[in-house]
Amino acid sequence: MPLLVDAYAAPSAHEPIGRATIARRDVGPHDILIEIAYAGICHSDIHTVRGDWGEVNYPLVPGHEIVGVVREVGASVTRHSVGDRVGVGCMVDSCRTCANCRSGHEQYCTAGNTQTYNSVDRDGTVTQGGYSTHVVVTEDFVLSLPDGLELESAAPLLCAGITTYSPLMRWGAGPGTRVGVVGLGGLGHMAVKLAHALGAEVTVLSQSLKKADDGLRMGAREFRATSDPGTFADLAESMDLIINTVSAGLDIDRYLELLARDGVLVNVGAPGVPVDVDIFSLILRRRSFAGSAIGGIRETQEMLEFCASHAVAPEVELISIDQVNEAYERVLGSDVRYRFVIDISTLHQG
Ligand code: NAP
Ligand code: ZN
Ligand code: ZN
């Protein structure tokens, strides 16, 4: 008998998210039943629910920053035990046989990874995410939470953390590298903390100076407003790596001009609209413009260990389930400090 659980679902792109009941599959031999404690709100949840990225299977339960406790394990499970603190990010499965899966890059699975919500699962059902009391996930896509991480604040690491850690590692952020972070929201604040912990010199580029004190406290050396035209002149050719976390389209050439020779601008922000790039912005200093998606399971576990050992934690605003719609509006208004996290105990009925 599938387990019926309480959830919060979007009925359509235009209606508020509200209470729903969904079914979770039976715990198979390699599955784990997790009682969810906290779920982060990622801007991707909003893009998806509002149809920014195309087809949506409504009603949709968003949420791919999930932490909780293992309540049941299948007969063949070896990686996790009942009572363990665990996490689930943006993927719950992949083909496991393509070159990308075999090299630990399941997020780039040639067959397409199975996303935590709004994906067709291996059994043909549509996946439903973490704004719910329980989830059943195959053991290989469940992460272990190291002791040093607080359950209350760890959830955003499962998407915002890994999405910024992965390009910082790929493009060698560390002592002597100058890293720019565009946008100080959920992803941006993790990029600042992680780049600082890796030893890089960090500059934040935000729309205004409203978040300057916070950005400097998180480890940035400089904090500049992009609304000030002087910023682009002052910082020209001063960075080696820029992580663009902005959820909207930007004038990419302005940001490419901030890169020194051989610098790389990595877009993790995913506005869902095409951007224009003047190829001369690349040619004239041998610059690169790249994209990056979350991170593989092995790298996500590595990131969790890194955060635990370097005392890197997301800054969260805990909300109850009935504040989700209001939180979406605040995220859309760049008014998140710096990740909303739903206390899932407020979803349990009576
Ligand atoms: P968020 O918390 O809303 O942060 C985005 C930040 O961008 C805002 O706080 C704001 O920072 C800045 N911003 C927003 N609108 C802007 C505009 N019109 N012009 C300039 N700056 C603007 O969102 P998030 O959860 O960090 O997600 C950011 C983006 O990354 C989304 O598109 C999301 O879908 C995407 N994402 C991608 C991946 C991946 O694997 N590549 C994974 C997760 C999320 P300031 O106030 O500091 O300017
Ligand atoms: Zn996300
Ligand atoms: Zn694959």
Side-chain angles (χ1 to χ4, degrees), residues 193-194 197-198 304-313:
K193 289 186 176 216
L194 288 165
L198 287 164
L304 292 171
E305 311 291 341
F306 178 88
C307 289
S309 60
H310 289 77
V312 171

Side-chain angles (χ1 to χ4, degrees), residues 178-181 203 205 235 237-242 258-260 263:
R178 300 160 296 175
V179 174
V181 174
T203 299
L205 294 154
L235 299 180
E237 298 190 52
S238 70
M239 296 173 195
D240 304 301
L241 174 64
I242 297 177
L258 302 181
L259 292 169

Side-chain angles (χ1 to χ4, degrees), residues 12-344:
S12 73
H14 313 291
E15 290 165 275
I17 303 184
R19 281 189 181 272
T21 302
I22 57 167
R24 294 301 190 186
R25 68 167 182 259
D26 289 332
V27 177
H30 293 284
D31 282 340
I32 288 180
L33 171 68
I34 300 165
E35 180 178 351
I36 301 175
Y38 298 98
I41 293 180
C42 178
H43 205 120
S44 301
D45 300 351
I46 305 176
H47 285 306
T48 306
V49 163
R50 308 253 162 134
D52 294 352
W53 292 342
E55 279 296 295
V56 187
N57 299 285
Y58 298 108
L60 172 79
V61 179
H64 60 204
E65 293 183 337
I66 299 171
V67 295
V69 176
V70 176
R71 291 299 177 217
E72 192 182 329
V73 296
S76 306
V77 167
T78 56
R79 298 166 73 106
H80 306 282
S81 308
V82 170
D84 284 357
R85 301 178 336 138
V86 292
V88 175
C90 304
M91 296 180 283
V92 289
D93 214 338
S94 70
C95 87
R96 303 170 186 231
T97 56
C98 73
N100 291 337
C101 285
R102 280 188 282 114
S103 61
H105 299 94
E106 303 89 351
Q107 75 276 33
Y108 303 121
C109 175
T110 307
N113 68 67
T114 308
Q115 300 268 291
T116 303
Y117 57 79
N118 199 37
S119 251
V120 178
D121 209 343
R122 310 276 135 178
D123 62 4
T125 60
V126 173
T127 56
Q128 299 286 12
Y131 302 0
S132 64
T133 57
H134 299 77
V135 65
V136 176
V137 180
T138 182
E139 64 171 328
D140 294 338
F141 283 74
V142 176
L143 288 309
S144 298
L145 285 190
D147 285 344
L149 299 178
E150 299 283 342
L151 206 54
E152 252 185 31
S153 59
L157 296 176
L158 278 306
C159 175
I162 184 59
T163 301
T164 48
Y165 181 81
S166 188
L168 289 169
M169 298 305 284
R170 170 70 181 78
W171 281 282
T177 48
R178 300 160 296 175
V179 174
V181 174
V182 191
L184 196 70
L187 267 57
H189 95 290
M190 287 314 306
V192 172
K193 289 186 176 216
L194 288 165
H196 175 64
L198 287 164
E201 281 172 31
V202 184
T203 299
V204 177
L205 294 154
S206 185
Q207 293 165 98
S208 71
L209 294 178
K210 277 192 278 194
K211 303 173 184 170
D213 290 347
D214 290 343
L216 296 171
R217 176 175 49 75
M218 290 172 197
R221 191 171 285 196
E222 269 205 78
F223 193 106
R224 301 296 296 262
T226 53
S227 52
D228 174 358
T231 293
F232 290 89
D234 292 350
L235 299 180
E237 298 190 52
S238 70
M239 296 173 195
D240 304 301
L241 174 64
I242 297 177
I243 308 287
N244 176 16
T245 75
V246 172
S247 46
L250 290 182
D251 178 350
I252 291 296
D253 294 307
R254 289 183 94 196
Y255 293 85
L256 286 170
E257 299 291 340
L258 302 181
L259 292 169
R261 175 175 50 81
D262 291 331
V264 184
L265 168 58
V266 185
N267 236 83
V268 289
V273 291
V275 294
D276 284 325
V277 177
D278 181 345
I279 295 301
F280 282 103
S281 306
L282 302 173
I283 289 176
L284 294 178
R285 299 288 185 280
R286 201 166 59 187
R287 298 169 174 126
S288 304
F289 181 36
S292 183
I294 47 172
I297 293 296
R298 193 163 63 215
E299 191 175 41
T300 305
Q301 190 64 53
E302 174 190 303
M303 175 276 309
L304 292 171
E305 311 291 341
F306 178 88
C307 289
S309 60
H310 289 77
V312 171
E315 302 199 2
V316 308
E317 211 174 310
L318 277 187
I319 60 168
S320 61
I321 195 74
D322 56 8
Q323 292 176 293
V324 166
N325 292 296
E326 185 190 324
Y328 273 28
E329 293 309 319
R330 284 188 49 200
V331 172
L332 288 167
S334 301
D335 178 26
V336 51
R337 302 236 182 340
Y338 281 85
R339 200 55 141 185
F340 289 109
V341 170
I342 308 165
D343 176 353
I344 295 295

